[in-house]
Amino acid sequence: MSTPHPLNQAVVAQALHDLRNGQLRRCLSMGFSEKELDVLKQPALVSLLANAQVPWCSVKVNTDVLWRLVSQLNDIEQEIATVDRMLRLGASTEMVSTFYGLTHQEVALRRDIIGLPKRKGRHPVLNEEQETTLWKRWKSTMDERGITLNDDSAMLTLAMDLAESLSLPMSVIWAAIHSWIDQGLV
């Protein structure tokens, strides 16, 4: 005995699910007309269609949508890597929340997942020598990379790079940079 075609079964199951949930337009977008949907109201005909060995429907792959979804996965992986890097470099919860929309609870969970200790209080402020070094590195790197003050994404990457190279907390670097911008020192 031959087995029913799995595509037929999947389409019938999806159409019945959509009809039960009042999603008539989804059924119509699958290719059914109202006449065919009336057939799905009769259990004997539903069984006949679902158990047919010959496929009575076909699949069309929308490659544009497929590749858009695939690229989203890469974007999500990049976002997770950036958030993890920010947290490892001492970014504040507020920074992560501002850039990636994570709640305080999500940031705390992310910290736990990557094994960071619980933070207590604020990071210390920069001393004069640290601030001078940071200013010089920040200003020269901004010029080298051609970063504008309103390019938050590039500024975020620069702040991470500076935190890494200077072994300073990212939140302290970010605060210093914004202080200089707010004071018009740039």
Side-chain angles (χ1 to χ4, degrees):
M1 180 173 171
S2 297
T3 59
H5 196 280
L7 187 56
N8 294 344
Q9 292 180 322
V11 170
V12 167
Q14 184 64 52
L16 290 174
H17 173 77
D18 289 342
L19 286 173
R20 274 193 293 274
N21 291 303
Q23 300 292 325
L24 180 64
R25 287 188 181 159
R26 287 185 65 172
C27 292
L28 295 172
S29 72
M30 287 172 61
F32 289 103
S33 70
E34 290 186 23
K35 184 178 177 183
E36 283 103 18
L37 292 177
D38 283 339
V39 169
L40 295 179
K41 294 177 184 174
Q42 301 174 39
L45 294 177
V46 168
S47 178
L48 176 75
L49 291 173
N51 293 309
Q53 297 169 7
V54 176
W56 48 264
C57 55
S58 62
V59 174
K60 181 180 183 281
V61 176
N62 185 332
T63 56
D64 291 337
V65 172
L66 181 139
W67 287 111
R68 210 169 336 162
L69 291 170
V70 168
S71 72
Q72 284 178 351
L73 176 63
N74 294 335
D75 294 343
I76 291 168
E77 288 174 349
Q78 180 60 45
E79 181 177 305
I80 291 169
T82 301
V83 168
D84 288 355
R85 182 178 179 211
M86 287 174 70
L87 293 173
R88 282 188 183 100
L89 293 171
S92 67
T93 299
E94 289 73 24
M95 285 180 68
V96 176
S97 179
T98 299
F99 278 96
Y100 292 101
L102 299 181
T103 65
H104 290 283
Q105 292 83 6
E106 290 168 326
V107 172
L109 177 61
R110 200 73 221 138
R111 286 183 199 277
D112 284 344
I113 288 171
I114 62 177
L116 293 177
K118 301 239 185 277
R119 288 203 20 217
K120 294 178 180 144
R122 297 178 185 265
H123 288 293
V125 295
L126 299 174
N127 62 36
E128 190 174 329
E129 180 185 331
Q130 290 171 320
E131 187 166 357
T132 302
T133 302
L134 176 59
W135 168 264
K136 289 177 182 175
R137 293 280 299 277
W138 175 70
K139 190 69 176 122
S140 66
T141 308
M142 286 253 313
D143 294 340
E144 283 172 21
R145 296 182 186 179
I147 299 173
T148 60
L149 296 177
N150 60 354
D151 186 349
D152 286 340
S153 178
M155 197 71 79
L156 179 68
T157 301
L158 174 56
M160 286 189 283
D161 293 345
L162 291 170
E164 229 165 27
S165 66
L166 298 173
S167 297
L168 294 171
M170 187 177 170
S171 60
V172 173
I173 290 173
W174 191 255
I177 290 170
H178 279 278
S179 171
W180 298 331
I181 293 171
D182 292 345
Q183 294 175 42
L185 299 175
V186 193

